[in-house]
Amino acid sequence: MVVAIVLAGGQKNGFLTEGGELSYNEALLKIGDKFMIEYVLEALQGSQYIQRIIVAGQAENLQTVFSGRADITIVQGGETIIASFKNAFKEFKNLSAKLSIVTGDLPLLTTEAVDHFLAAGLSREGDLFDPVVAREAHEEKYPGVQRTY
């Protein structure tokens, strides 16, 4: 069993619009007809490994978007990403389960990628696994998109 914690509290400031400066929650940006976090949740919900999803972020806003969704536990995010993780971890009751930590700003995440990553991690011995993509592979697939390397 794998429990996914989705960190969706990233507040961005200084986004300039015609009306002035805007502050927004990155996970709740609309891409097409969905919020960015919805793409992430769909990828996780489609996984054969994920049994439970806990989302840490601006609880009031997330509750509005996901009201009535019993398949998602929403907790208030913290001042930092670590504080948000700690808040979500308090809901992690089954200590025999594995834990997957995902950010809410990955709209291109797919169920296939989630399953591939989890299958690889679950088949190995270790405490922590982090997906790494070679810079060259990323730039070939997404030329011009800035990333941190």
Side-chain angles (χ1 to χ4, degrees):
M1 173 179 178
V2 178
V3 174
I5 289 180
V6 180
L7 300 172
Q11 188 70 16
K12 300 292 183 184
N13 297 312
F15 185 74
L16 296 178
T17 66
E18 288 181 16
E21 192 171 285
L22 174 69
S23 179
Y24 65 94
N25 179 281
E26 196 170 30
L28 294 176
L29 279 177
K30 280 277 197 161
I31 299 176
D33 60 346
K34 299 179 192 174
F35 294 103
M36 188 179 319
I37 192 172
E38 288 182 275
Y39 293 97
V40 175
L41 295 176
E42 286 175 3
L44 295 172
Q45 290 169 322
S47 172
Q48 63 181 313
Y49 299 102
I50 303 292
Q51 302 297 315
R52 183 170 180 221
I53 299 173
I54 303 166
V55 179
Q58 294 174 335
E60 183 178 321
N61 294 338
L62 291 166
Q63 295 284 5
T64 301
V65 174
F66 299 110
S67 64
R69 297 275 307 263
D71 57 331
I72 300 169
T73 302
I74 297 173
V75 300
Q76 182 61 43
E79 292 289 319
T80 66
I81 195 168
I82 299 300
S84 292
F85 170 75
K86 286 179 177 181
N87 290 350
F89 190 74
K90 292 174 188 173
E91 294 292 323
F92 183 65
K93 307 289 188 208
N94 183 352
L95 297 181
S96 66
K98 303 293 183 187
L99 180 63
S100 179
I101 304 167
V102 183
T103 59
D105 62 349
L106 300 170
L108 300 178
L109 185 65
T110 65
T111 296
E112 294 78 19
V114 171
D115 280 348
H116 177 79
F117 176 74
L118 292 175
L122 292 169
S123 69
R124 291 174 171 77
E125 189 172 322
D127 294 325
L128 179 67
F129 299 95
D130 188 22
V132 176
V133 177
R135 181 179 189 161
E136 296 77 19
H138 184 276
E139 289 177 351
E140 180 181 323
K141 181 87 173 170
Y142 305 104
V145 175
Q146 293 185 355
R147 298 291 307 164
T148 302
Y149 298 99

